mmCIF file of all heavy atoms in Angstrom:
data_model
loop_
_atom_site.group_PDB
_atom_site.id
_atom_site.type_symbol
_atom_site.label_atom_id
_atom_site.label_comp_id
_atom_site.label_asym_id
_atom_site.label_seq_id
_atom_site.Cartn_x
_atom_site.Cartn_y
_atom_site.Cartn_z
ATOM 1 N N MET R 30 14.740 -19.120 14.168
ATOM 2 C CA MET R 30 13.661 -19.766 14.945
ATOM 3 C C MET R 30 13.398 -21.160 14.387
ATOM 4 O O MET R 30 13.251 -21.360 13.179
ATOM 5 C CB MET R 30 12.383 -18.918 14.852
ATOM 6 C CG MET R 30 11.211 -19.508 15.613
ATOM 7 S SD MET R 30 9.745 -18.425 15.508
ATOM 8 C CE MET R 30 8.576 -19.455 16.371
ATOM 9 N N GLN R 31 13.317 -22.135 15.272
ATOM 10 C CA GLN R 31 13.115 -23.516 14.834
ATOM 11 C C GLN R 31 11.679 -23.730 14.383
ATOM 12 O O GLN R 31 10.732 -23.295 15.038
ATOM 13 C CB GLN R 31 13.434 -24.477 15.989
ATOM 14 C CG GLN R 31 13.379 -25.949 15.560
ATOM 15 C CD GLN R 31 13.772 -26.849 16.715
ATOM 16 O OE1 GLN R 31 14.067 -26.359 17.811
ATOM 17 N NE2 GLN R 31 13.789 -28.131 16.481
ATOM 18 N N GLU R 32 11.543 -24.390 13.223
ATOM 19 C CA GLU R 32 10.206 -24.663 12.707
ATOM 20 C C GLU R 32 9.495 -25.681 13.596
ATOM 21 O O GLU R 32 10.112 -26.630 14.090
ATOM 22 C CB GLU R 32 10.299 -25.229 11.268
ATOM 23 C CG GLU R 32 10.705 -24.201 10.233
ATOM 24 C CD GLU R 32 9.577 -23.249 9.940
ATOM 25 O OE1 GLU R 32 8.418 -23.614 10.157
ATOM 26 O OE2 GLU R 32 9.864 -22.124 9.513
ATOM 27 N N PRO R 33 8.213 -25.553 13.808
ATOM 28 C CA PRO R 33 7.473 -26.559 14.559
ATOM 29 C C PRO R 33 7.527 -27.890 13.828
ATOM 30 O O PRO R 33 7.560 -27.945 12.603
ATOM 31 C CB PRO R 33 6.040 -26.004 14.594
ATOM 32 C CG PRO R 33 6.155 -24.572 14.239
ATOM 33 C CD PRO R 33 7.348 -24.433 13.385
ATOM 34 N N SER R 34 7.532 -28.964 14.544
ATOM 35 C CA SER R 34 7.607 -30.279 13.906
ATOM 36 C C SER R 34 6.302 -30.591 13.222
ATOM 37 O O SER R 34 5.230 -30.198 13.666
ATOM 38 C CB SER R 34 7.910 -31.365 14.954
ATOM 39 O OG SER R 34 6.819 -31.516 15.824
ATOM 40 N N ILE R 35 6.415 -31.350 12.145
ATOM 41 C CA ILE R 35 5.229 -31.713 11.375
ATOM 42 C C ILE R 35 4.324 -32.640 12.176
ATOM 43 O O ILE R 35 3.109 -32.606 12.074
ATOM 44 C CB ILE R 35 5.641 -32.366 10.039
ATOM 45 C CG1 ILE R 35 6.378 -31.344 9.177
ATOM 46 C CG2 ILE R 35 4.456 -32.929 9.296
ATOM 47 C CD1 ILE R 35 6.976 -31.923 7.921
ATOM 48 N N SER R 36 4.949 -33.458 13.051
ATOM 49 C CA SER R 36 4.168 -34.442 13.795
ATOM 50 C C SER R 36 3.367 -33.824 14.941
ATOM 51 O O SER R 36 2.462 -34.434 15.462
ATOM 52 C CB SER R 36 5.095 -35.526 14.350
ATOM 53 O OG SER R 36 6.064 -34.936 15.195
ATOM 54 N N SER R 37 3.750 -32.596 15.353
ATOM 55 C CA SER R 37 3.030 -31.955 16.459
ATOM 56 C C SER R 37 2.662 -30.529 16.080
ATOM 57 O O SER R 37 3.308 -29.572 16.486
ATOM 58 C CB SER R 37 3.892 -31.943 17.720
ATOM 59 O OG SER R 37 5.121 -31.297 17.466
ATOM 60 N N PRO R 38 1.641 -30.382 15.224
ATOM 61 C CA PRO R 38 1.248 -29.049 14.766
ATOM 62 C C PRO R 38 0.792 -28.172 15.920
ATOM 63 O O PRO R 38 0.269 -28.646 16.921
ATOM 64 C CB PRO R 38 0.078 -29.344 13.807
ATOM 65 C CG PRO R 38 -0.436 -30.680 14.213
ATOM 66 C CD PRO R 38 0.745 -31.436 14.721
ATOM 67 N N GLN R 39 0.998 -26.863 15.752
ATOM 68 C CA GLN R 39 0.562 -25.921 16.770
ATOM 69 C C GLN R 39 -0.963 -25.938 16.871
ATOM 70 O O GLN R 39 -1.660 -25.984 15.857
ATOM 71 C CB GLN R 39 1.031 -24.515 16.402
ATOM 72 C CG GLN R 39 2.534 -24.383 16.241
ATOM 73 C CD GLN R 39 2.904 -22.989 15.780
ATOM 74 O OE1 GLN R 39 2.591 -21.996 16.429
ATOM 75 N NE2 GLN R 39 3.581 -22.908 14.648
ATOM 76 N N LYS R 40 -1.453 -25.890 18.115
ATOM 77 C CA LYS R 40 -2.893 -25.938 18.329
ATOM 78 C C LYS R 40 -3.346 -24.707 19.098
ATOM 79 O O LYS R 40 -2.591 -24.101 19.849
ATOM 80 C CB LYS R 40 -3.283 -27.199 19.098
ATOM 81 C CG LYS R 40 -3.069 -28.494 18.329
ATOM 82 C CD LYS R 40 -3.538 -29.690 19.133
ATOM 83 C CE LYS R 40 -3.316 -30.992 18.362
ATOM 84 N NZ LYS R 40 -3.762 -32.177 19.135
ATOM 85 N N LEU R 41 -4.597 -24.358 18.880
ATOM 86 C CA LEU R 41 -5.228 -23.263 19.601
ATOM 87 C C LEU R 41 -6.690 -23.635 19.814
ATOM 88 O O LEU R 41 -7.406 -23.890 18.845
ATOM 89 C CB LEU R 41 -5.111 -21.954 18.803
ATOM 90 C CG LEU R 41 -5.727 -20.705 19.446
ATOM 91 C CD1 LEU R 41 -4.997 -20.363 20.752
ATOM 92 C CD2 LEU R 41 -5.659 -19.520 18.478
ATOM 93 N N TRP R 42 -7.105 -23.712 21.073
ATOM 94 C CA TRP R 42 -8.477 -24.088 21.411
ATOM 95 C C TRP R 42 -8.889 -25.407 20.763
ATOM 96 O O TRP R 42 -10.001 -25.570 20.259
ATOM 97 C CB TRP R 42 -9.450 -22.984 21.020
ATOM 98 C CG TRP R 42 -9.182 -21.694 21.740
ATOM 99 C CD1 TRP R 42 -8.781 -21.528 23.036
ATOM 100 C CD2 TRP R 42 -9.290 -20.375 21.201
ATOM 101 N NE1 TRP R 42 -8.624 -20.199 23.339
ATOM 102 C CE2 TRP R 42 -8.934 -19.459 22.228
ATOM 103 C CE3 TRP R 42 -9.650 -19.866 19.956
ATOM 104 C CZ2 TRP R 42 -8.924 -18.091 22.045
ATOM 105 C CZ3 TRP R 42 -9.652 -18.503 19.771
ATOM 106 C CH2 TRP R 42 -9.293 -17.625 20.803
ATOM 107 N N GLY R 43 -7.957 -26.346 20.742
ATOM 108 C CA GLY R 43 -8.257 -27.690 20.273
ATOM 109 C C GLY R 43 -8.176 -27.899 18.779
ATOM 110 O O GLY R 43 -8.400 -29.018 18.298
ATOM 111 N N HIS R 44 -7.875 -26.856 18.016
ATOM 112 C CA HIS R 44 -7.777 -26.977 16.562
ATOM 113 C C HIS R 44 -6.396 -26.520 16.096
ATOM 114 O O HIS R 44 -5.708 -25.775 16.809
ATOM 115 C CB HIS R 44 -8.859 -26.117 15.888
ATOM 116 C CG HIS R 44 -10.232 -26.677 16.028
ATOM 117 N ND1 HIS R 44 -10.759 -27.589 15.153
ATOM 118 C CD2 HIS R 44 -11.199 -26.442 16.962
ATOM 119 C CE1 HIS R 44 -11.993 -27.896 15.528
ATOM 120 N NE2 HIS R 44 -12.277 -27.211 16.627
ATOM 121 N N PRO R 45 -5.975 -26.963 14.903
ATOM 122 C CA PRO R 45 -4.705 -26.454 14.368
ATOM 123 C C PRO R 45 -4.712 -24.931 14.324
ATOM 124 O O PRO R 45 -5.708 -24.313 13.921
ATOM 125 C CB PRO R 45 -4.669 -27.049 12.951
ATOM 126 C CG PRO R 45 -5.530 -28.265 13.018
ATOM 127 C CD PRO R 45 -6.617 -27.929 14.002
ATOM 128 N N LYS R 46 -3.624 -24.328 14.737
ATOM 129 C CA LYS R 46 -3.558 -22.877 14.804
ATOM 130 C C LYS R 46 -3.789 -22.241 13.435
ATOM 131 O O LYS R 46 -4.335 -21.142 13.321
ATOM 132 C CB LYS R 46 -2.200 -22.457 15.359
ATOM 133 C CG LYS R 46 -2.129 -21.002 15.791
ATOM 134 C CD LYS R 46 -0.797 -20.708 16.483
ATOM 135 C CE LYS R 46 -0.736 -19.253 16.964
ATOM 136 N NZ LYS R 46 0.548 -18.962 17.641
ATOM 137 N N GLY R 47 -3.384 -22.959 12.386
ATOM 138 C CA GLY R 47 -3.564 -22.437 11.038
ATOM 139 C C GLY R 47 -5.011 -22.173 10.689
ATOM 140 O O GLY R 47 -5.315 -21.317 9.844
ATOM 141 N N LEU R 48 -5.952 -22.896 11.345
ATOM 142 C CA LEU R 48 -7.376 -22.688 11.065
ATOM 143 C C LEU R 48 -7.773 -21.241 11.305
ATOM 144 O O LEU R 48 -8.522 -20.654 10.525
ATOM 145 C CB LEU R 48 -8.221 -23.620 11.949
ATOM 146 C CG LEU R 48 -9.734 -23.347 11.939
ATOM 147 C CD1 LEU R 48 -10.323 -23.676 10.570
ATOM 148 C CD2 LEU R 48 -10.428 -24.162 13.030
ATOM 149 N N TYR R 49 -7.251 -20.642 12.366
ATOM 150 C CA TYR R 49 -7.673 -19.295 12.732
ATOM 151 C C TYR R 49 -7.067 -18.244 11.798
ATOM 152 O O TYR R 49 -7.680 -17.192 11.569
ATOM 153 C CB TYR R 49 -7.319 -19.031 14.192
ATOM 154 C CG TYR R 49 -8.002 -20.029 15.105
ATOM 155 C CD1 TYR R 49 -7.333 -21.155 15.576
ATOM 156 C CD2 TYR R 49 -9.349 -19.869 15.434
ATOM 157 C CE1 TYR R 49 -7.981 -22.088 16.378
ATOM 158 C CE2 TYR R 49 -10.006 -20.799 16.237
ATOM 159 C CZ TYR R 49 -9.316 -21.905 16.694
ATOM 160 O OH TYR R 49 -9.962 -22.828 17.469
ATOM 161 N N TYR R 50 -5.907 -18.533 11.242
ATOM 162 C CA TYR R 50 -5.344 -17.632 10.234
ATOM 163 C C TYR R 50 -6.170 -17.703 8.943
ATOM 164 O O TYR R 50 -6.431 -16.678 8.303
ATOM 165 C CB TYR R 50 -3.879 -17.987 9.959
ATOM 166 C CG TYR R 50 -2.942 -17.501 11.028
ATOM 167 C CD1 TYR R 50 -2.755 -18.218 12.193
ATOM 168 C CD2 TYR R 50 -2.249 -16.294 10.880
ATOM 169 C CE1 TYR R 50 -1.898 -17.768 13.196
ATOM 170 C CE2 TYR R 50 -1.391 -15.831 11.865
ATOM 171 C CZ TYR R 50 -1.228 -16.575 13.022
ATOM 172 O OH TYR R 50 -0.386 -16.113 14.002
ATOM 173 N N LEU R 51 -6.600 -18.910 8.580
ATOM 174 C CA LEU R 51 -7.462 -19.047 7.408
ATOM 175 C C LEU R 51 -8.831 -18.428 7.679
ATOM 176 O O LEU R 51 -9.443 -17.845 6.780
ATOM 177 C CB LEU R 51 -7.615 -20.522 7.026
ATOM 178 C CG LEU R 51 -6.333 -21.233 6.580
ATOM 179 C CD1 LEU R 51 -6.623 -22.698 6.270
ATOM 180 C CD2 LEU R 51 -5.719 -20.552 5.366
ATOM 181 N N PHE R 52 -9.304 -18.553 8.915
ATOM 182 C CA PHE R 52 -10.577 -17.947 9.326
ATOM 183 C C PHE R 52 -10.552 -16.437 9.079
ATOM 184 O O PHE R 52 -11.451 -15.880 8.435
ATOM 185 C CB PHE R 52 -10.804 -18.242 10.814
ATOM 186 C CG PHE R 52 -11.934 -17.474 11.454
ATOM 187 C CD1 PHE R 52 -13.206 -18.012 11.526
ATOM 188 C CD2 PHE R 52 -11.724 -16.214 12.010
ATOM 189 C CE1 PHE R 52 -14.248 -17.318 12.134
ATOM 190 C CE2 PHE R 52 -12.754 -15.507 12.615
ATOM 191 C CZ PHE R 52 -14.016 -16.066 12.680
ATOM 192 N N PHE R 53 -9.507 -15.762 9.544
ATOM 193 C CA PHE R 53 -9.446 -14.306 9.407
ATOM 194 C C PHE R 53 -9.141 -13.894 7.959
ATOM 195 O O PHE R 53 -9.631 -12.861 7.487
ATOM 196 C CB PHE R 53 -8.411 -13.719 10.365
ATOM 197 C CG PHE R 53 -8.911 -13.616 11.770
ATOM 198 C CD1 PHE R 53 -8.462 -14.490 12.747
ATOM 199 C CD2 PHE R 53 -9.854 -12.666 12.119
ATOM 200 C CE1 PHE R 53 -8.939 -14.407 14.050
ATOM 201 C CE2 PHE R 53 -10.341 -12.571 13.415
ATOM 202 C CZ PHE R 53 -9.877 -13.451 14.388
ATOM 203 N N ALA R 54 -8.340 -14.683 7.246
ATOM 204 C CA ALA R 54 -8.077 -14.369 5.837
ATOM 205 C C ALA R 54 -9.365 -14.443 5.023
ATOM 206 O O ALA R 54 -9.664 -13.559 4.207
ATOM 207 C CB ALA R 54 -7.025 -15.317 5.269
ATOM 208 N N GLU R 55 -10.149 -15.492 5.257
ATOM 209 C CA GLU R 55 -11.416 -15.641 4.532
ATOM 210 C C GLU R 55 -12.426 -14.591 4.974
ATOM 211 O O GLU R 55 -13.198 -14.082 4.155
ATOM 212 C CB GLU R 55 -11.981 -17.050 4.760
ATOM 213 C CG GLU R 55 -13.337 -17.308 4.131
ATOM 214 C CD GLU R 55 -13.325 -17.389 2.616
ATOM 215 O OE1 GLU R 55 -12.267 -17.115 2.012
ATOM 216 O OE2 GLU R 55 -14.360 -17.713 2.023
ATOM 217 N N LEU R 56 -12.416 -14.250 6.259
ATOM 218 C CA LEU R 56 -13.320 -13.217 6.764
ATOM 219 C C LEU R 56 -13.111 -11.913 5.996
ATOM 220 O O LEU R 56 -14.078 -11.298 5.517
ATOM 221 C CB LEU R 56 -13.086 -13.004 8.263
ATOM 222 C CG LEU R 56 -14.007 -12.034 9.017
ATOM 223 C CD1 LEU R 56 -14.007 -12.385 10.506
ATOM 224 C CD2 LEU R 56 -13.583 -10.567 8.866
ATOM 225 N N TRP R 57 -11.862 -11.496 5.851
ATOM 226 C CA TRP R 57 -11.594 -10.217 5.186
ATOM 227 C C TRP R 57 -11.783 -10.312 3.669
ATOM 228 O O TRP R 57 -12.156 -9.334 3.029
ATOM 229 C CB TRP R 57 -10.197 -9.726 5.540
ATOM 230 C CG TRP R 57 -10.142 -9.217 6.942
ATOM 231 C CD1 TRP R 57 -9.524 -9.786 8.014
ATOM 232 C CD2 TRP R 57 -10.793 -8.036 7.440
ATOM 233 N NE1 TRP R 57 -9.740 -9.043 9.140
ATOM 234 C CE2 TRP R 57 -10.517 -7.961 8.821
ATOM 235 C CE3 TRP R 57 -11.575 -7.045 6.857
ATOM 236 C CZ2 TRP R 57 -10.984 -6.927 9.618
ATOM 237 C CZ3 TRP R 57 -12.057 -6.009 7.655
ATOM 238 C CH2 TRP R 57 -11.761 -5.960 9.016
ATOM 239 N N GLU R 58 -11.557 -11.508 3.113
ATOM 240 C CA GLU R 58 -11.842 -11.663 1.677
ATOM 241 C C GLU R 58 -13.331 -11.544 1.415
ATOM 242 O O GLU R 58 -13.767 -10.879 0.476
ATOM 243 C CB GLU R 58 -11.309 -13.014 1.186
ATOM 244 C CG GLU R 58 -11.453 -13.225 -0.315
ATOM 245 C CD GLU R 58 -12.803 -13.800 -0.719
ATOM 246 O OE1 GLU R 58 -13.417 -14.514 0.098
ATOM 247 O OE2 GLU R 58 -13.256 -13.519 -1.848
ATOM 248 N N ARG R 59 -14.147 -12.170 2.264
ATOM 249 C CA ARG R 59 -15.603 -12.063 2.121
ATOM 250 C C ARG R 59 -16.078 -10.640 2.419
ATOM 251 O O ARG R 59 -17.051 -10.165 1.841
ATOM 252 C CB ARG R 59 -16.306 -13.051 3.041
ATOM 253 C CG ARG R 59 -16.126 -14.501 2.658
ATOM 254 C CD ARG R 59 -16.853 -14.860 1.375
ATOM 255 N NE ARG R 59 -16.073 -14.668 0.167
ATOM 256 C CZ ARG R 59 -16.509 -14.890 -1.053
ATOM 257 N NH1 ARG R 59 -17.754 -15.293 -1.258
ATOM 258 N NH2 ARG R 59 -15.740 -14.696 -2.110
ATOM 259 N N PHE R 60 -15.398 -9.982 3.353
ATOM 260 C CA PHE R 60 -15.690 -8.568 3.625
ATOM 261 C C PHE R 60 -15.560 -7.766 2.340
ATOM 262 O O PHE R 60 -16.438 -6.969 1.994
ATOM 263 C CB PHE R 60 -14.709 -8.052 4.677
ATOM 264 C CG PHE R 60 -14.877 -6.587 5.008
ATOM 265 C CD1 PHE R 60 -15.615 -6.192 6.112
ATOM 266 C CD2 PHE R 60 -14.288 -5.596 4.226
ATOM 267 C CE1 PHE R 60 -15.779 -4.843 6.422
ATOM 268 C CE2 PHE R 60 -14.441 -4.244 4.523
ATOM 269 C CZ PHE R 60 -15.190 -3.875 5.626
ATOM 270 N N SER R 61 -14.480 -7.983 1.624
ATOM 271 C CA SER R 61 -14.248 -7.228 0.390
ATOM 272 C C SER R 61 -15.232 -7.625 -0.697
ATOM 273 O O SER R 61 -15.792 -6.776 -1.393
ATOM 274 C CB SER R 61 -12.804 -7.432 -0.096
ATOM 275 O OG SER R 61 -12.597 -8.739 -0.587
ATOM 276 N N PHE R 62 -15.485 -8.930 -0.837
ATOM 277 C CA PHE R 62 -16.325 -9.415 -1.932
ATOM 278 C C PHE R 62 -17.770 -8.952 -1.767
ATOM 279 O O PHE R 62 -18.374 -8.409 -2.697
ATOM 280 C CB PHE R 62 -16.269 -10.949 -1.983
ATOM 281 C CG PHE R 62 -17.043 -11.547 -3.123
ATOM 282 C CD1 PHE R 62 -16.475 -11.669 -4.376
ATOM 283 C CD2 PHE R 62 -18.347 -11.981 -2.951
ATOM 284 C CE1 PHE R 62 -17.185 -12.212 -5.433
ATOM 285 C CE2 PHE R 62 -19.068 -12.522 -3.994
ATOM 286 C CZ PHE R 62 -18.481 -12.638 -5.235
ATOM 287 N N TYR R 63 -18.345 -9.150 -0.576
ATOM 288 C CA TYR R 63 -19.746 -8.796 -0.381
ATOM 289 C C TYR R 63 -19.939 -7.297 -0.207
ATOM 290 O O TYR R 63 -21.003 -6.761 -0.542
ATOM 291 C CB TYR R 63 -20.330 -9.558 0.808
ATOM 292 C CG TYR R 63 -20.644 -10.999 0.465
ATOM 293 C CD1 TYR R 63 -19.801 -12.031 0.847
ATOM 294 C CD2 TYR R 63 -21.776 -11.308 -0.277
ATOM 295 C CE1 TYR R 63 -20.084 -13.349 0.508
ATOM 296 C CE2 TYR R 63 -22.072 -12.620 -0.623
ATOM 297 C CZ TYR R 63 -21.219 -13.631 -0.216
ATOM 298 O OH TYR R 63 -21.494 -14.929 -0.573
ATOM 299 N N GLY R 64 -18.915 -6.617 0.334
ATOM 300 C CA GLY R 64 -19.006 -5.161 0.395
ATOM 301 C C GLY R 64 -19.080 -4.549 -0.988
ATOM 302 O O GLY R 64 -19.880 -3.639 -1.248
ATOM 303 N N MET R 65 -18.269 -5.059 -1.904
ATOM 304 C CA MET R 65 -18.297 -4.579 -3.288
ATOM 305 C C MET R 65 -19.600 -4.956 -3.969
ATOM 306 O O MET R 65 -20.227 -4.138 -4.657
ATOM 307 C CB MET R 65 -17.108 -5.167 -4.050
ATOM 308 C CG MET R 65 -17.005 -4.728 -5.510
ATOM 309 S SD MET R 65 -18.082 -5.612 -6.664
ATOM 310 C CE MET R 65 -17.346 -7.245 -6.624
ATOM 311 N N ARG R 66 -20.055 -6.198 -3.781
ATOM 312 C CA ARG R 66 -21.265 -6.668 -4.453
ATOM 313 C C ARG R 66 -22.485 -5.848 -4.060
ATOM 314 O O ARG R 66 -23.372 -5.586 -4.885
ATOM 315 C CB ARG R 66 -21.505 -8.148 -4.115
ATOM 316 C CG ARG R 66 -22.527 -8.813 -5.024
ATOM 317 C CD ARG R 66 -23.007 -10.120 -4.478
ATOM 318 N NE ARG R 66 -23.894 -9.937 -3.344
ATOM 319 C CZ ARG R 66 -24.746 -10.864 -2.892
ATOM 320 N NH1 ARG R 66 -24.793 -12.045 -3.472
ATOM 321 N NH2 ARG R 66 -25.522 -10.628 -1.844
ATOM 322 N N ALA R 67 -22.541 -5.415 -2.803
ATOM 323 C CA ALA R 67 -23.688 -4.629 -2.340
ATOM 324 C C ALA R 67 -23.798 -3.302 -3.074
ATOM 325 O O ALA R 67 -24.898 -2.773 -3.259
ATOM 326 C CB ALA R 67 -23.572 -4.388 -0.834
ATOM 327 N N LEU R 68 -22.665 -2.765 -3.502
ATOM 328 C CA LEU R 68 -22.662 -1.464 -4.172
ATOM 329 C C LEU R 68 -22.808 -1.575 -5.684
ATOM 330 O O LEU R 68 -23.126 -0.588 -6.353
ATOM 331 C CB LEU R 68 -21.349 -0.724 -3.868
ATOM 332 C CG LEU R 68 -20.895 -0.617 -2.405
ATOM 333 C CD1 LEU R 68 -19.574 0.136 -2.328
ATOM 334 C CD2 LEU R 68 -21.939 0.062 -1.557
ATOM 335 N N LEU R 69 -22.555 -2.769 -6.227
ATOM 336 C CA LEU R 69 -22.312 -2.902 -7.663
ATOM 337 C C LEU R 69 -23.515 -2.514 -8.532
ATOM 338 O O LEU R 69 -23.375 -1.720 -9.470
ATOM 339 C CB LEU R 69 -21.877 -4.343 -7.977
ATOM 340 C CG LEU R 69 -21.471 -4.624 -9.423
ATOM 341 C CD1 LEU R 69 -20.329 -3.719 -9.856
ATOM 342 C CD2 LEU R 69 -21.080 -6.096 -9.586
ATOM 343 N N THR R 70 -24.690 -3.070 -8.258
ATOM 344 C CA THR R 70 -25.837 -2.828 -9.140
ATOM 345 C C THR R 70 -26.238 -1.351 -9.155
ATOM 346 O O THR R 70 -26.451 -0.755 -10.222
ATOM 347 C CB THR R 70 -27.033 -3.702 -8.726
ATOM 348 O OG1 THR R 70 -26.717 -5.079 -8.959
ATOM 349 C CG2 THR R 70 -28.269 -3.338 -9.527
ATOM 350 N N LEU R 71 -26.349 -0.748 -7.979
ATOM 351 C CA LEU R 71 -26.713 0.671 -7.935
ATOM 352 C C LEU R 71 -25.622 1.539 -8.540
ATOM 353 O O LEU R 71 -25.912 2.582 -9.143
ATOM 354 C CB LEU R 71 -26.991 1.100 -6.496
ATOM 355 C CG LEU R 71 -28.338 0.631 -5.931
ATOM 356 C CD1 LEU R 71 -28.439 0.953 -4.456
ATOM 357 C CD2 LEU R 71 -29.489 1.264 -6.706
ATOM 358 N N TYR R 72 -24.370 1.119 -8.418
ATOM 359 C CA TYR R 72 -23.270 1.854 -9.050
ATOM 360 C C TYR R 72 -23.432 1.845 -10.566
ATOM 361 O O TYR R 72 -23.263 2.872 -11.231
ATOM 362 C CB TYR R 72 -21.942 1.226 -8.643
ATOM 363 C CG TYR R 72 -20.726 1.836 -9.301
ATOM 364 C CD1 TYR R 72 -20.431 3.184 -9.151
ATOM 365 C CD2 TYR R 72 -19.866 1.056 -10.066
ATOM 366 C CE1 TYR R 72 -19.303 3.740 -9.745
ATOM 367 C CE2 TYR R 72 -18.740 1.602 -10.664
ATOM 368 C CZ TYR R 72 -18.475 2.941 -10.503
ATOM 369 O OH TYR R 72 -17.359 3.496 -11.099
ATOM 370 N N MET R 73 -23.827 0.699 -11.121
ATOM 371 C CA MET R 73 -24.031 0.620 -12.570
ATOM 372 C C MET R 73 -25.230 1.458 -12.996
ATOM 373 O O MET R 73 -25.157 2.233 -13.960
ATOM 374 C CB MET R 73 -24.217 -0.843 -12.998
ATOM 375 C CG MET R 73 -22.941 -1.671 -12.972
ATOM 376 S SD MET R 73 -23.135 -3.297 -13.764
ATOM 377 C CE MET R 73 -24.059 -4.180 -12.523
#
C-alpha cells in the first residue's frame, strides 16, 4: 500500500486524521488512569 504523501495529510472532518487516533488513545489512557485513581485510596 502506498504511503500518503507528506504534503497532503489525510483529513477527517477538517482535521488531520491522526488527531482522532490520538483522541481515542488518550481517551482510553485517561479511562485507565482515572478509573484506577478512583479506587486507590479506599483500596489502601
Side-chain angles (χ1 to χ4, degrees):
M30 180 178 176
Q31 186 177 0
E32 288 286 336
S34 68
I35 295 173
S36 59
S37 57
Q39 302 176 58
K40 293 183 180 180
L41 180 64
W42 299 322
H44 288 273
K46 194 173 182 180
L48 170 68
Y49 300 98
Y50 283 82
L51 296 178
F52 169 93
F53 281 106
E55 176 70 353
L56 185 157
W57 286 109
E58 185 274 332
R59 291 291 89 181
F60 178 97
S61 71
F62 183 85
Y63 283 101
M65 181 280 292
R66 194 195 73 161
L68 310 179
L69 185 58
T70 293
L71 284 173
Y72 176 59
M73 287 190 285

